[in-house]
Amino acid sequence: MEIRCPDGGWLAVCGPDDLTPGRGVAALLPDGSQAALFLDRAGRIHAIGNRDPFTGAQVLSRGLTGSAAGRPFVASPLLKQRFDLATGDCLDDPEVSVPAYGVRVRGPERKAAAQGTGRAH
């Protein structure tokens, strides 16, 4: 599985089988930032920035996942703000977002559908 980095290149991070529905995994990107990867319960893979914009801590990969109005989200483990896994938008404060990264699964390991807008913030 690969994440589209802010510089436009792709970075191999893990295989789809390394992800567990409802649990996040953090990945270090070449620019020093971090991404949080999630496999939602529908089998879609998402990647958003791992930095909680409210606290500055790299913790979103440790958040609780759920869905609201059909939108999968992760809630920060610190202050509980929810971030849309497809867009990175904060569901609790429309002025705040985290980056959303494109994800692709290549080759024979294509067991999960990749998601992500690839929108950088």
Side-chain angles (χ1 to χ4, degrees), residues 4-105:
R4 185 163 198 106
C5 296
D7 67 5
W10 291 92
L11 175 69
V13 289
C14 64
D17 292 339
D18 295 323
L19 300 176
T20 301
R23 299 187 68 177
V25 173
L28 183 62
L29 302 180
D31 68 357
S33 64
Q34 293 182 24
L37 289 96
F38 298 91
L39 175 63
D40 70 21
R41 300 206 188 283
R44 295 178 302 239
I45 299 170
H46 304 275
I48 62 171
N50 195 35
R51 184 180 174 276
D52 180 339
F54 293 94
T55 65
Q58 302 281 353
V59 295
L60 293 182
S61 63
R62 302 288 183 219
L64 300 172
T65 60
S67 64
R71 296 168 65 180
F73 68 81
V74 62
S76 172
L78 299 178
L79 300 177
K80 309 302 185 237
Q81 284 89 358
R82 300 169 300 154
F83 296 91
D84 186 303
L85 290 177
T87 66
D89 294 337
C90 180
L91 302 180
D92 302 301
D93 184 340
E95 300 296 316
V96 178
S97 64
V98 296
Y101 301 106
V103 177
R104 68 182 181 190
V105 180

